[in-house]
Amino acid sequence: MIKGFPLSACASVLAAGVLALSAPMAAANPVKINYQQPAQDIIDIVDAAPSPGASLSPDGSLLLVTGYPALPDIYDMAADQLKLAGRRINPANYTVSQARYISELKLVDVATGNNQSIQGLPADLKALAVSWAPNGRYIALAQQTEKHVELWLVDVAKAKAKRWSKTALNAVWGARLAWLHDSSGVYSYTVVDGLTKPAAKVVPTGPVITESKGRTAPGRTYQDLLQNKHDEDLFDYYFTSQIKLFSVKGKERVIGEPAVYNGLSVAPSDDYLLVSQLKRPYSYAVPHYRFPETTEVWSPTGKLVYQVVEQGLADNLPIAFDAVVQGRRSISWRNDADATLVWAEAADQGDPAVATEVRDQVFQLAAPFKGQPQKLADLSKRFSGLLAADNEHLLIWERWWADRDEKLWLVDASGKRSTELVWERSWEDRYNDPGAPFTVQTDEGRTLLYLKDGNLLLRGSGASDEGDRPFIDSYNLMDKSSERLWRSEAPYYEAPRELIDAEAMTFLTQREGVNDPADFFIRDIDDNKLTALTETPHPMPHTLGITREQITYTRDDGLPMSAELYLPAGYDKDRDGPLPTIVWAYPREYKSSAAAAQISGSPYEFVRISYWSPQYLATQGYAVLDAATMPIVGEGDAQPNDTFIEQLVMNGKAAIDAGAKLGVTDPERVALGGHSYGAFMTANMLAHSDLFKTGIARSGAYNRSLTPFGFQREERTVWDDADLYIRMSPFFHADKINEPLLMIHGINDNNSGTFPMQSERLYQAIKGLGGTARLVMLPHESHGYRARESVLHMLWEQTRWLDEHLKGE
């Protein structure tokens, strides 16, 4: 018997070690073919224009509408890429690798609905970020080119753009644009001139050595970590930046010295900067967000005023989800004060296993940062947010993963009134979610919690047994009563986005219908008036005949479940009979059956046929059960994964039975599919049941011994419960996968745990055991696939596979 492992697990663990170290994929004789394309109606779905976004000006008078391009081509995806400390960057222009960008901008007058184009924008607009000045007179944008990122400025009154500076921005963290609250300028990171790029040494000078000396330092299966001294030097070279202030009058000012900055925010009074920077020693075991980090308060000229915290390397956190670093964390400016820092500190050494009534404490310290910090609250859970209306009305949220509990407190920082509990609830319970508060912006550019006569305005998704019906409520902090002011009504799904005018009770909303794409509107609650600001054409009119229905059903133990049923245009079940069906799902863990049974989504949302899920297959004669709920419940002291396989099989059977009962599904011709954890689900279902005729598994993980310090929402390690890891790993049950399985994976997958090797090893296992499988590895793709060629080929593979195994074509 191997020490630490039950006898039943020994043979499987040994087998895992052999197969995990076996020959590379070249030994599997891969077939090389060119990118393929599916039918034209599927291509048209992929090429349909993405939904636009929008941002309201601070005074609510203008709406900035942002347009996005369709999928990039493989040429863009093949651009140079560096993988450093958990980040992927494009070294050619100091940006996030394969960044999504804005390709269109226009302004809409809220009062009239008139559109206004912006003159002078770059001919090939690729804006990585756009940001309103607090006074609404300007918009800053970061424009990506092949060689650098440029700073541009839009004069809103003139609707005219110009290049703001010739200085190249450093956007390896994403473009950072931090406006002064008086709107006189913006801070950003810039590329440092004169740095010498470290040259790679062809001949190594020695081995790479890491060492453990008894210090507990568990870690999940992170990817893209630093590998050697050259990687460390490259990280310094590309992530070192210079902070600069760009004045709207055209002046530039250098702030501080070059460093690896990763945090920058401006005090509401504009008198101080809160700056964070990463420092050596770096680690080869954890990503950048666990590196040593120093946070300081600076003057506007870059002079050190106060050191907030100097955090060491955080490579020894417990695996638990509520584990945090010791010392000051979640540091920010209090939103309503001139210059007051707020932060949380763990009172339990950051370890959820420590028994204590107080887990977190929240503190504040006002400028000039000379006195002792003032404690605002003792929390029994983890601090998760603070939002203030004024010194006597601060809302502080706390949450705990293990019991899914949330508390909201009303705190008086002046000490005149004792702290009050506003509510305590399970954050899994969507049906009783009271919502999130609206904010308003002052003339000084400060974002405050909206509060009038003790009343908040709350917005929420309005989840119910009839689907999501977003709402706006008035909530009284004194007597804890609420009043429903507005609720989305059939036949539309309308969600509030921003508060425009609290006195006039006008809100920016986004409304859509089954055949109406989402557009932006002004909702006047008092007058019950709705004014359209945008008008988006249907992006894929050839799919208009496809029907969508939200169906509900129960599994064998009585737990209610739901799915979205898509049927082909013109389908008549009496005439056409049951159809081949694809079920697409993603398992989710719950601590209560009541929460697991709740319905999400709305029957009135726009039917935008997705190519990412299998909805597009409705154009090919399939019934589609999309977003089929796959609840895995662990009531009380039980953990959800204790009965993962049993509940999974019940879920699959319930979905098939539901489609068959409606007369739309042929139970002998049903496939199961999913992405990531949904792929893990699919392989497990095929291994432990014969419910489905075939499966599609994209970018999954199948051998949990390769993620030994936890996975998904599982906090136990393989050494805590080896049998659990073996039982839940389809790799160890590959001999029972007797249905055909299509696996697709991005060669550059950077998601924690879903190494491309996971699919390669499962394929080798199925192949070696005589099963039927196909493995498709997509070049240049990460956990999600973005290149048009990759997506079209994925759809070709999936459609072809299902046609062969469900239709016999």
Side-chain angles (χ1 to χ4, degrees):
M1 178 176 180
I2 298 178
K3 183 178 180 181
F5 287 98
L7 183 60
S8 61
C10 291
S12 296
V13 172
L14 287 173
V18 172
L19 287 172
L21 297 174
S22 61
M25 274 304 300
N29 299 319
V31 177
K32 294 183 179 179
I33 62 173
N34 294 328
Y35 287 109
Q36 301 295 307
Q37 294 190 349
Q40 187 60 47
D41 47 4
I42 299 177
I43 295 175
D44 292 341
I45 291 173
V46 173
D47 290 339
S51 298
S55 173
L56 197 65
S57 65
D59 64 358
S61 64
L62 292 169
L63 187 71
L64 179 66
V65 180
T66 53
Y68 301 88
L71 293 174
D73 61 32
I74 196 67
Y75 174 83
D76 291 332
M77 299 294 289
D80 287 345
Q81 183 183 78
L82 281 178
K83 306 171 185 179
L84 300 168
R87 298 287 296 183
R88 292 186 174 183
I89 66 169
N90 182 343
N93 59 5
Y94 289 78
T95 62
V96 175
S97 178
Q98 302 169 2
R100 191 178 185 221
Y101 55 82
I102 295 166
S103 56
E104 295 180 54
L105 289 174
K106 69 176 180 180
L107 292 167
V108 179
D109 187 286
V110 169
T112 65
N114 293 333
N115 292 342
Q116 188 172 17
S117 60
I118 300 173
Q119 304 300 314
L121 287 169
D124 184 17
L125 182 64
K126 293 184 177 181
L128 299 178
V130 294
S131 178
W132 283 98
N135 63 11
R137 297 177 185 174
Y138 306 100
I139 299 169
L141 67 89
Q143 162 70 2
Q144 174 183 246
T145 70
E146 288 188 2
K147 295 184 178 180
H148 49 258
V149 177
E150 303 169 349
L151 183 62
W152 285 64
L153 183 68
V154 177
D155 184 316
V156 174
K158 298 178 180 177
K160 189 173 183 179
K162 66 177 182 180
R163 186 169 175 182
W164 193 347
S165 170
K166 293 183 179 180
T167 301
L169 303 186
N170 189 329
V172 291
W173 300 112
R176 179 63 174 145
L177 302 172
W179 277 99
L180 284 161
H181 293 79
D182 67 5
S183 301
S184 64
V186 68
Y187 290 97
S188 191
Y189 302 142
T190 65
V191 174
V192 179
D193 294 328
L195 294 182
T196 302
K197 181 178 178 180
K201 292 182 174 62
V202 178
V203 179
T205 59
V208 175
I209 299 173
T210 56
E211 183 176 12
S212 174
K213 292 186 176 181
R215 176 173 170 266
T216 302
R220 290 186 176 250
T221 49
Y222 303 115
Q223 301 204 47
D224 298 344
L225 301 179
L226 300 180
Q227 300 293 319
N228 49 48
K229 180 64 167 59
H230 181 60
D231 279 357
E232 292 187 65
D233 293 340
L234 285 174
F235 183 79
D236 275 339
Y237 177 76
Y238 285 105
F239 285 79
T240 293
S241 61
Q242 175 67 65
I243 299 174
K244 276 192 175 183
L245 174 62
F246 298 90
S247 164
V248 294
K249 296 181 179 179
K251 296 181 180 180
E252 300 180 14
R253 187 170 72 204
V254 172
I255 310 296
E257 299 296 327
V260 182
Y261 297 111
N262 67 326
L264 172 66
S265 63
V266 186
S269 65
D270 291 334
D271 293 328
Y272 301 96
L273 296 174
L274 184 63
V275 178
S276 296
Q277 54 186 291
L278 300 180
K279 295 191 173 182
R280 289 176 180 253
Y282 300 146
S283 171
Y284 298 175
V286 294
H288 63 88
Y289 50 82
R290 297 279 192 93
F291 286 0
E293 182 178 11
T294 298
T295 302
E296 299 171 333
V297 175
W298 289 2
S299 72
T301 60
K303 181 181 178 181
L304 175 64
V305 175
Y306 177 68
Q307 185 175 92
V308 185
V309 67
E310 191 170 9
Q311 186 64 249
L313 178 65
D315 65 343
N316 62 338
L317 292 184
I319 288 297
F321 289 108
D322 292 309
V324 296
V325 296
Q326 298 184 52
R328 299 176 178 181
R329 70 177 205 281
S330 302
I331 305 157
S332 65
W333 296 111
R334 213 180 89 182
N335 62 289
D336 66 308
D338 285 345
T340 297
L341 294 170
V342 293
W343 66 82
E345 291 186 46
D348 60 359
Q349 293 84 54
D351 187 353
V354 173
T356 179
E357 291 185 1
V358 177
R359 295 214 172 264
D360 264 3
Q361 296 178 315
V362 184
F363 296 90
Q364 70 173 13
L365 182 63
F369 317 106
K370 299 295 185 183
Q372 290 297 313
Q374 175 191 356
K375 184 165 66 174
L376 293 174
D378 285 326
L379 306 178
S380 62
K381 307 179 190 301
R382 290 290 180 235
F383 171 74
S384 63
L386 181 151
L387 184 61
D390 52 50
N391 197 44
E392 298 179 11
H393 299 90
L394 285 74
L395 294 182
I396 295 179
W397 285 262
E398 59 173 312
R399 277 191 167 200
W400 196 248
W401 161 258
D403 59 10
R404 314 309 199 260
D405 194 54
E406 174 189 80
K407 291 181 181 179
L408 175 63
W409 299 94
L410 176 62
V411 176
D412 182 350
S414 70
K416 298 176 184 177
R417 191 177 62 251
S418 60
T419 296
E420 298 179 26
L421 180 66
V422 179
W423 65 61
E424 181 175 9
R425 57 180 295 272
S426 168
W427 50 259
E428 276 190 336
D429 182 5
R430 297 180 68 250
Y431 283 9
N432 293 296
D433 184 356
F438 280 99
T439 60
V440 293
Q441 185 164 302
T442 68
D443 292 339
E444 294 80 25
R446 303 184 188 185
T447 300
L448 303 182
L449 170 71
Y450 173 78
L451 182 66
K452 183 178 182 181
D453 300 327
N455 289 291
L456 304 172
L457 287 174
L458 302 177
R459 57 179 170 181
S461 62
S464 70
D465 55 8
E466 57 185 19
D468 290 353
R469 293 184 61 187
F471 64 82
I472 298 173
D473 280 0
S474 174
Y475 186 91
N476 188 279
L477 286 173
M478 301 302 108
D479 62 17
K480 313 302 186 291
S481 64
S482 64
E483 178 187 359
R484 180 70 27 103
L485 303 178
W486 172 85
R487 190 184 190 193
S488 180
E489 298 289 344
Y492 296 104
Y493 172 81
E494 186 176 353
R497 299 303 182 200
E498 296 185 51
L499 171 61
I500 297 176
D501 188 329
E503 297 300 322
M505 290 301 287
T506 54
F507 299 82
L508 176 70
T509 69
Q510 195 170 16
R511 191 182 78 162
E512 58 195 271
V514 171
N515 293 320
D516 300 318
D519 274 306
F520 293 94
F521 292 80
I522 301 301
R523 165 67 67 176
D524 186 326
I525 290 181
D526 285 344
D527 294 339
N528 194 26
K529 182 180 178 182
L530 191 68
T531 305
L533 296 179
T534 60
E535 186 175 353
T536 304
H538 198 296
M540 47 186 77
H542 68 292
T543 67
L544 277 168
I546 294 173
T547 62
R548 181 191 64 199
E549 177 186 0
Q550 195 168 57
I551 66 170
T552 57
Y553 48 96
T554 59
R555 69 184 194 186
D556 287 347
D557 63 355
L559 182 68
M561 300 172 67
S562 63
E564 291 183 349
L565 172 64
Y566 292 80
L567 294 171
Y571 169 73
D572 185 314
K573 67 179 179 181
D574 295 327
R575 180 192 66 212
D576 302 322
L579 299 174
T581 300
I582 173 76
V583 178
W584 199 263
Y586 189 95
R588 298 192 183 278
E589 302 90 341
Y590 297 90
K591 285 301 292 176
S592 74
S593 296
Q598 294 183 350
I599 294 172
S600 62
S602 167
Y604 305 116
E605 290 176 296
F606 174 56
V607 182
R608 183 187 178 99
I609 301 301
S610 169
Y611 60 77
W612 190 245
S613 75
Q615 296 169 10
Y616 77 95
L617 285 164
T619 67
Q620 305 301 303
Y622 288 89
V624 178
L625 283 175
D626 191 27
T629 53
M630 283 281 166
I632 308 296
V633 184
E635 298 272 11
D637 293 333
Q639 295 301 313
N641 285 339
D642 292 346
T643 53
F644 178 86
I645 299 299
E646 296 83 352
Q647 294 191 63
L648 199 64
V649 173
M650 271 198 296
N651 293 338
K653 180 178 182 296
I656 294 174
D657 289 348
K661 185 176 180 181
L662 290 172
V664 299
T665 292
D666 178 352
E668 300 300 319
R669 295 189 294 160
V670 185
L672 178 66
H675 188 89
S676 194
Y677 208 54
F680 172 74
M681 165 205 73
T682 299
N684 261 314
M685 190 80 78
L686 297 190
H688 296 286
S689 79
D690 293 314
L691 293 168
F692 295 89
K693 191 169 183 180
T694 187
I696 298 174
R698 297 194 324 228
S699 298
Y702 311 104
N703 181 349
R704 287 305 171 191
S705 73
L706 299 178
T707 57
F709 285 104
F711 57 90
Q712 198 68 4
R713 294 302 177 185
E714 180 56 66
E715 295 181 298
R716 290 167 288 188
T717 72
V718 70
W719 298 277
D720 295 327
D721 193 339
D723 277 339
L724 172 73
Y725 275 65
I726 302 303
R727 188 168 63 251
M728 288 184 65
S729 295
F731 175 85
F732 295 122
H733 305 279
D735 58 324
K736 292 178 275 187
I737 299 178
N738 54 9
E739 295 86 9
L741 178 62
L742 171 64
M743 288 183 287
I744 303 174
H745 214 122
I747 288 176
N748 286 332
D749 193 338
N750 65 340
N751 185 56
S752 178
T754 56
F755 295 93
M757 179 181 69
Q758 291 271 7
S759 289
E760 294 171 352
R761 297 301 180 255
L762 181 60
Y763 169 78
Q764 288 179 332
I766 295 173
K767 176 178 179 290
L769 292 164
T772 300
R774 180 178 174 90
L775 176 61
V776 181
M777 304 297 290
L778 297 173
H780 302 295
E781 295 296 351
S782 185
H783 193 58
Y785 321 140
R786 293 196 59 228
R788 181 176 183 272
E789 289 86 349
S790 299
V791 169
L792 291 177
H793 187 89
M794 173 192 79
L795 300 177
W796 177 81
E797 290 279 0
Q798 292 178 171
T799 307
R800 177 174 169 269
W801 186 263
L802 295 178
D803 286 349
E804 177 183 354
H805 295 289
L806 295 188
K807 292 182 178 179
E809 296 179 2

